[in-house]
Amino acid sequence: MKNIFYVGLAQSFFKRNAASLSESAVTQHPIETSKEAGEKSGSKQKNGDESGNTVVVAPPEFRFMYPEFLPDPTMERRNKLKEKLERMDMLQRRSIIEIPEFYTGSIMAVTVADSNSPNKFACFVGICIQRGGSGLQAWFILRNVVDRQGVEILYEMYCPLIQKIEVLRLERRLDESLLYLRDALPEYSTFPFEMEAERRLNNSVVPINPIKVKLRPRPWLERWERQNLQGVENLNLPQRYYDRAKEVAKPWEKYDLMLQYRKTIPAEEQEKIYAEVHSQLQQQDLKRKIKRRRGPSSEQ
Amino acid sequence: MQALISVTIFCDRDTSGRFDDWIAHLEAALALGDFDESRKLQLMCSKLYGEAAVEFDTFKLDNPFRGRSYTEVKSREITLQGMNQADLSKLVSALRIAVKPKPRLFASPEGPAGRLRKLKATVTALVKYERIELNYPRAEEAQGYAERLISDAIRNGDCHKHTMEMADYWLDEKQLIHKLFKVLVPRYKEYNSSYTKLVLGPKTYPGYYAGTAILELKGNPFPALQPATQNYHYWLHNVLLDEAKREFRVAKAESNTNLSEPVASKN
């Protein structure tokens, strides 16, 4: 059962340093990291401006690694003070617990403090099918199949009950939301609880898993043919489904510039936010790396 | 705090309805600590087991859980998606105009597609003529789209595929795409303000309730609509007024000191 999953795993690599991506590749991936991102600030920590003062700039990939630091783009809910306080609290929480970088499609293990369970901790392993929320309400959903029973758990990343979040396999998929796994064959969502963390050879690259998932026969939970999914095999539906999907589709939304603007945070604001936050995040990262290196050596 | 983390159990359609799978379902629920779910299952199992003890190999239940729980899950997802995460797929420049939280909907027989078609015509006209007079609501919406187009062109340049697609859509006449990248981008590259200006126009009776507006690109070759602000600080009447104000303040201060020290002699 599981062999189907592993045999189909061909690794295609996605460079974080965006300047190397070609234009055609940009349109395929849901994330646009065109040469603008590479031109803009690069991965320099400090840029000097004309007056000679150093301007702190975070590397452009920060917005993919820590998307929950960006506030909710809905204009009615923006409040600079609230966002700043939330960022402070988020950094405070991150200094206690390591919340690693992960993407939809990564396999993760989460341990939660649970007063009702016999050993006071509840552990769950699963594939991240969706993530969302901003600030302290950032959440992600892990899916696994336990005893032939599909189970999904929604975790709030900054919940104080969470003891440990570990990424067992860091990778991305062709879609941002893997909700179609609910209608896929169970082997695509099954991961053993005893799975161990996989070591990556190349740390600067997050691999994209180009797997195309097979769905179970209809009925499905959602109309997958209307959602332009890249990670699913040919749905093989009768033509009337596709015709109706075309009738119902909104092709003009792709060109609606103001709609895009209202759904996102402008680049200048993003830079400001990450400049504020990145030095602390890097310090925390560094401390953890040192601890990890010292850990095995101190035991000896 | 337990409420923060939610568990959803999905019954796989093929395996539901048979007695041994209810047991598996129950065990899974217990293992995950969802006691409400497990109690519900235990009740159902005891009911069914009592009635169908002999026939448990052959009875088939229409799984009641899947349909019900999915609507709950979906409604929860919809409320969660109300708490949005910013879209990361595109990097946009900040607009330097006031952007309203909700877009204006323009009624059209074609619906939302018609709205964009009309705004496309307006944006094309703005780029072509650089100053147009039209009704205020359409002008305000078109201003946003024009600013977005120009800011994207400045940020990404003409070799960027997405920007080119947008320019191709929004500008009906193809020579205007050249004008956008060759004329407007160099003109607005160093600007720290918005690229367009919206001036309220005459509102003649009977006319349209919102009145007219004039939407123009800054730096256009036409004479200015509003006179440039002049430095009026040194005009005679302002000089005299400032002096009069100063005298008044001084006199008031002196009278205050006199009131507080009536006995003190004045020299």
Side-chain angles (χ1 to χ4, degrees):
Chain A
M1 270 202 316
K2 277 176 247 165
N3 289 334
I4 303 169
F5 180 69
Y6 287 112
V7 157
L9 202 79
Q11 303 267 325
S12 68
F13 289 93
F14 163 76
K15 277 219 182 298
R16 283 202 206 167
N17 190 356
S20 56
L21 262 185
S22 64
E23 281 303 321
S24 54
V26 164
T27 50
Q28 277 169 24
H29 301 316
I31 309 252
E32 179 196 86
T33 49
S34 60
K35 54 185 189 182
E36 37 142 284
E39 277 166 5
K40 226 175 9 98
S41 47
S43 15
K44 301 178 197 80
Q45 259 80 36
K46 294 206 192 276
N47 284 331
D49 64 359
E50 292 85 39
S51 62
N53 301 329
T54 48
V55 173
V56 176
V57 166
E61 51 269 11
F62 258 55
R63 65 186 212 272
F64 301 116
M65 286 162 67
Y66 309 107
E68 72 274 7
F69 277 94
L70 295 176
D72 187 342
T74 316
M75 281 177 206
E76 292 106 327
R77 295 198 204 131
R78 296 293 306 272
N79 182 334
K80 294 249 168 82
L81 180 63
K82 173 212 174 205
E83 286 152 25
K84 186 152 171 75
L85 293 174
E86 259 197 319
R87 284 196 291 273
M88 282 164 59
D89 283 344
M90 284 158 80
L91 288 170
Q92 164 70 12
R93 178 68 190 159
R94 272 177 183 265
S95 67
I96 297 168
I97 273 242
E98 188 199 354
I99 299 176
E101 171 198 2
F102 66 96
Y103 302 94
T104 306
S106 310
I107 300 162
M108 300 161 67
V110 176
T111 330
V112 179
D114 186 4
S115 48
N116 296 325
S117 89
N119 34 345
K120 302 299 175 191
F121 292 113
C123 179
F124 188 75
V125 169
I127 183 169
C128 175
I129 58 172
Q130 208 183 23
R131 71 181 288 187
S134 58
L136 291 167
Q137 288 154 329
W139 50 266
F140 58 91
I141 305 181
L142 295 185
R143 178 181 168 82
N144 205 337
V145 174
V146 174
D147 287 340
R148 299 200 295 168
Q149 179 65 64
V151 180
E152 293 182 11
I153 304 191
L154 184 146
Y155 290 105
E156 299 205 3
M157 278 153 73
Y158 293 89
C159 176
L161 290 175
I162 291 183
Q163 305 300 305
K164 185 177 188 195
I165 303 176
E166 199 185 350
V167 172
L168 304 175
R169 186 189 305 160
L170 177 66
E171 64 180 12
R172 282 169 126 153
R173 291 287 184 100
L174 297 168
D175 298 303
E176 275 314 291
S177 149
L178 299 178
L179 297 179
Y180 54 78
L181 288 178
R182 292 169 183 164
D183 279 325
L185 299 171
E187 52 255 29
Y188 294 101
S189 318
T190 322
F191 301 96
F193 268 63
E194 306 79 29
M195 192 168 169
E196 279 176 14
E198 292 175 13
R199 286 189 166 206
R200 279 157 53 219
L201 297 162
N202 193 349
N203 257 339
S204 66
V205 153
V206 179
I208 296 182
N209 187 351
I211 194 169
K212 296 259 182 188
V213 159
K214 280 204 191 88
L215 297 188
R216 284 198 291 228
R218 275 187 298 113
W220 293 328
L221 291 166
E222 286 184 46
R223 297 181 210 265
W224 305 117
E225 73 276 7
R226 293 189 188 176
Q227 289 185 29
N228 189 24
L229 301 172
Q230 305 298 316
V232 225
E233 257 194 28
N234 189 8
L235 297 172
N236 282 332
L237 290 169
Q239 186 56 32
R240 58 190 163 92
Y241 280 82
Y242 300 109
D243 295 337
R244 183 69 185 139
K246 265 205 196 112
E247 282 171 42
V248 155
K250 299 182 190 174
W252 58 84
E253 277 195 356
K254 175 182 168 196
Y255 301 104
D256 196 336
L257 295 168
M258 287 308 284
L259 184 73
Q260 289 166 16
Y261 186 76
R262 289 186 177 104
K263 276 195 193 162
T264 186
I265 307 285
E268 289 87 348
E269 267 202 67
Q270 284 193 18
E271 275 168 41
K272 246 198 250 171
I273 291 169
Y274 287 119
E276 199 187 296
V277 143
H278 103 287
S279 62
Q280 286 212 42
L281 284 170
Q282 283 197 325
Q283 275 175 22
Q284 288 169 3
D285 207 23
L286 203 63
K287 275 188 202 159
R288 289 208 176 94
K289 274 193 188 145
I290 293 171
K291 240 192 200 174
R292 252 178 264 154
R293 272 184 221 144
R294 273 211 210 114
S297 64
S298 63
E299 276 162 22
Q300 282 172 359
Chain B
M1 264 238 183
Q2 199 63 38
L4 284 178
I5 296 167
S6 62
V7 182
T8 315
I9 300 182
F10 282 99
C11 281
D12 285 345
R13 202 167 19 91
D14 299 334
T15 59
S16 64
R18 290 183 47 110
F19 188 63
D20 49 348
D21 294 302
W22 288 109
I23 294 285
H25 192 164
L26 177 65
E27 280 173 1
L30 285 170
L32 292 160
D34 191 350
F35 293 113
D36 287 357
E37 186 79 12
S38 58
R39 251 184 276 123
K40 274 189 234 161
L41 285 166
Q42 276 172 325
L43 280 170
M44 283 218 73
C45 284
S46 60
K47 254 200 239 170
L48 297 164
Y49 190 53
E51 288 165 3
V54 180
E55 297 145 20
F56 72 87
D57 257 330
T58 52
F59 84 76
K60 272 203 172 99
L61 262 188
D62 207 358
N63 180 12
F65 283 103
R66 199 165 201 232
R68 190 198 53 163
S69 64
Y70 195 73
T71 46
E72 284 173 8
V73 164
K74 229 15 201 176
S75 60
R76 194 196 287 126
E77 272 173 19
I78 289 165
T79 48
L80 280 176
Q81 256 129 48
M83 299 284 131
N84 293 324
Q85 202 169 74
D87 181 31
L88 297 174
S89 55
K90 310 223 165 17
L91 215 52
V92 300
S93 305
L95 292 182
R96 294 172 191 134
I97 51 167
V99 175
K100 295 207 166 119
K102 292 229 157 66
R104 261 198 193 87
L105 306 168
F106 293 106
S108 154
E110 297 146 38
R115 171 180 176 270
L116 275 197
R117 189 183 53 82
K118 287 185 181 175
L119 287 167
K120 202 181 2 162
T122 313
V123 169
T124 307
L126 176 65
V127 173
K128 181 171 181 181
Y129 297 114
E130 297 200 27
R131 179 185 286 173
I132 51 174
E133 183 177 343
L134 66 169
N135 286 332
Y136 178 74
R138 183 92 71 89
E140 199 182 24
E141 289 295 298
Q143 190 189 21
Y145 287 96
E147 292 267 342
R148 275 283 287 123
L149 190 65
I150 298 174
S151 71
D152 265 1
I154 292 174
R155 176 172 273 270
N156 299 325
D158 57 354
C159 293
H160 190 238
K161 184 164 188 214
H162 183 256
T163 310
M164 207 32 130
E165 273 179 13
M166 294 295 124
D168 183 49
Y169 177 84
W170 281 96
L171 300 170
D172 286 327
E173 291 167 38
K174 299 312 156 191
Q175 72 261 29
L176 294 176
I177 302 179
H178 291 283
K179 181 179 177 186
L180 172 69
F181 289 107
K182 300 269 158 60
V183 174
L184 299 181
V185 164
R187 192 200 287 183
Y188 296 127
K189 238 186 154 76
E190 310 300 326
Y191 266 52
N192 288 324
S193 66
S194 61
Y195 315 124
T196 56
K197 189 168 178 169
L198 184 65
V199 177
L200 290 180
K203 192 177 169 184
T204 50
Y205 179 85
Y208 184 54
Y209 81 101
T212 59
I214 296 135
L215 183 58
E216 61 168 11
L217 293 176
K218 286 187 185 167
N220 63 58
F222 309 122
L225 282 172
Q226 292 158 327
T229 50
Q230 295 183 43
N231 196 348
Y232 48 83
H233 179 70
Y234 294 109
W235 289 358
L236 179 64
H237 59 280
N238 283 331
V239 169
L240 296 171
L241 279 169
D242 286 340
E243 198 53 40
K245 284 182 210 166
R246 203 171 67 82
E247 277 181 17
F248 174 77
R249 266 182 274 131
V250 164
K252 194 156 186 207
E254 276 182 12
S255 66
N256 281 347
T257 49
N258 285 348
L259 279 171
S260 57
E261 306 161 7
V263 188
S265 61
K266 225 202 315 199
N267 265 18

